[in-house]
Amino acid sequence: MPNKIQAVRGMNDILPDQAQLWEQFEDTVRGWLRVYGYRNIRTPILERTELFARSIGEVTDIVEKEMYTFVDQLNGESLTLRPEATASCVRAVIEHNLLYPGPQRLYYSGPMFRHERPQKGRYRQFHQVGVEALGYAGPDIDAEHIVMCARLWRALGISDVALELNTLGSNESRNRYRKHLVKYLEKCRGELDDDARRRMHTNPLRVLDSKNPALKELIENAPRMMDDMDAESLAHFEGLQSLLRDAGIAFKLNARLVRGLDYYNLTVYEWTSGSLGAQGTVCAGGRYDGLIEQIGGKPAPACGFAMGVERLLELMQSTPHVAAPAVDVYLVHQGKHAQHFAFTAAERLRDHGLAVVFDCSGGSFKSQMKKADASGASYAVIIGDDEVEAQQVSVKPLRETGEQTCCNIEHAADMIKNQRG
Ligand code: ATP
Ligand code: MG
């Protein structure tokens, strides 16, 4: 016997029982995005490697070690499975001149790929829903994104999430701070770990994000970004905070929050849940005013966020949710003539908007009725020789007590629809 072929490690199948929750999530998300006036953009899963290297930053976890990159054998081009979609979105916006008529509110959703060690809440193919607002300088739009998130958590029935907020300042203030930080890190060189020593000159801010407990105190005592911040950056941050206070959004300021991608400036934030263990961040975002120019577009401010769908579903699972409705009708039939009549009857019932599962087992009447019951259908519509003869169908309620009735198809459809309400 040939070997079984298995899925790639860290890439999950989403089976029908689980997919029900995904669809419920997607329905909620779509309604939520509409309420805020965001429009969908869909970009390819593959992009040129250079796009991610240039936008996310060469010295970041993603670009250094997490990307699925390969050479297209047909033309020698280096391609990468998208590890995130902000870069793709910005590329498409520039390529198609979408900002020409004015700012854009966009969203995307779909799979992302990162070569990480698979564990709970961390996969090699995972899914994000992300929102990008391009051409808006804020801080009102930054605040809009945050209140949007809060509304979505409520709609999904998720309560255990908290917001942490920081500002990275302008590029100028960040460069000033960078110098102070490097000086400090050089002074403590002996206490740094390999990662930190390596990044000290290439990407020193990332050292603040280190998860190594041995560096905790050193990080605590590092110079503060706030001290190098210019008045304009502080005003933006203050403006955001006051809008959030007005909206009744609770947040915690975290001066060490720097995020793993290089393109951020000013606002950065993360929503984290206490009930997910180590992989607690469900949503993260911020402002990236320099990115559009960096990848070849006309300079324009922008901000956005992305949420991890698997982690949010994990939180949804721990709150009760309504089961998806089963089908309306299971079509039971017996005999060759009946099969033909039943097949067209099923289509007629569907014309009326009813959900119909047609029996393809060819089993006995009794076994088909068992299948009808197990399908969760509200009714069995039964067709045998007598029904074919009379050009009628028998309708039997499966979930409530009630008589089996015989009538024509249109009648049956009306009756079932009326019962459904
Ligand atoms: P982490 O610190 O967990 O590695 P990150 O900073 O790399 O997250 P982002 O690039 O900001 O994550 O992506 C936004 C969200 O996407 C994360 O908050 C998380 O919910 C989700 N996410 C990121 N990587 C993975 C993954 N490998 N598997 C599942 N979800 C992920
Ligand atoms: Mg990561």
Side-chain angles (χ1 to χ4, degrees), residues 57 59 107 143 245 279 297 367:
V59 193
Y107 80 88
R245 274 187 229 107
Q279 268 58 253
S367 92

Side-chain angles (χ1 to χ4, degrees), residues 131-196:
V131 155
E132 314 289 1
L134 304 122
Y136 300 94
D140 46 359
I141 196 92
D142 307 58
E144 174 174 297
H145 285 176
I146 288 171
V147 301
M148 267 178 96
C149 291
R151 181 182 297 274
L152 181 63
W153 312 149
R154 287 196 299 275
L156 295 172
I158 294 171
S159 52
D160 179 29
V161 272
L163 174 65
E164 290 195 12
L165 189 63
N166 191 23
T167 180
L168 300 176
S170 63
N171 286 344
E172 300 78 62
S173 70
R174 195 144 60 127
N175 287 342
R176 242 188 338 263
Y177 173 67
R178 197 183 147 115
K179 286 202 189 104
H180 291 149
L181 181 63
V182 172
K183 206 183 260 172
Y184 170 78
L185 293 173
E186 267 166 353
K187 219 172 56 200
C188 322
R189 196 184 175 89
E191 301 158 57
L192 297 179
D193 61 13
D194 288 348
D195 250 358

